[in-house]
Amino acid sequence: MSYFVSGENTDRVVLNESDPIKSVLQNVRMILQTRQGTIPLYRNFGLPMKFLDKPAAIAKPLLIAEIREAISEFEPRAEILNVSFKEDEPGRLIPVVEIEVKV
């Protein structure tokens, strides 16, 4: 079964989530919403944001690569099936990642 995780979700963070699927989905969402270098003592967590201030045609492939690398490193229980984008306003890309959970 596949699940969709968006970079704009604002769900509450649940510490010590007991449901493994909810835990993976929450972790992927946190990866998408975190800029690398902003978590003290865990500076490599998140996305490097090299795509910022680039035209959409250049930013999309860069962001897809960053998402794939970060999720494979920080949440190995998630297998990425697809990465797409929702554009709610010009120049703002919101990643939507389709994943399969390996539990």
Side-chain angles (χ1 to χ4, degrees):
M1 177 177 208
S2 67
Y3 300 90
F4 290 90
V5 181
S6 173
E8 73 174 346
N9 290 348
T10 56
D11 298 337
R12 290 185 14 210
V13 174
V14 178
L15 300 176
N16 295 325
E17 177 64 64
S18 59
D19 181 357
I21 292 176
K22 286 182 181 178
S23 174
V24 171
L25 297 176
Q26 176 177 274
N27 291 346
V28 170
R29 182 172 39 90
M30 293 304 295
I31 292 167
L32 295 176
Q33 294 177 344
T34 303
R35 184 179 190 144
Q36 199 174 63
T38 60
I39 307 295
L41 303 176
Y42 203 23
R43 298 289 183 191
N44 290 332
F45 183 81
L47 301 177
M49 304 286 183
K50 293 178 183 175
F51 59 89
L52 285 179
D53 297 328
K54 303 272 192 274
I58 296 170
K60 285 180 182 180
L62 285 173
L63 181 52
I64 290 170
E66 288 182 8
I67 288 170
R68 288 185 180 279
E69 288 176 20
I71 291 175
S72 67
E73 180 177 349
F74 298 112
E75 187 46 89
R77 299 176 294 173
E79 179 182 338
I80 299 174
L81 302 176
N82 188 32
V83 178
S84 59
F85 297 96
K86 181 175 132 181
E87 298 182 48
D88 65 345
E89 58 186 61
R92 183 171 183 227
L93 298 174
I94 299 170
V96 178
V97 181
E98 182 180 7
I99 64 169
E100 197 168 271
V101 178
K102 302 180 284 186
V103 183

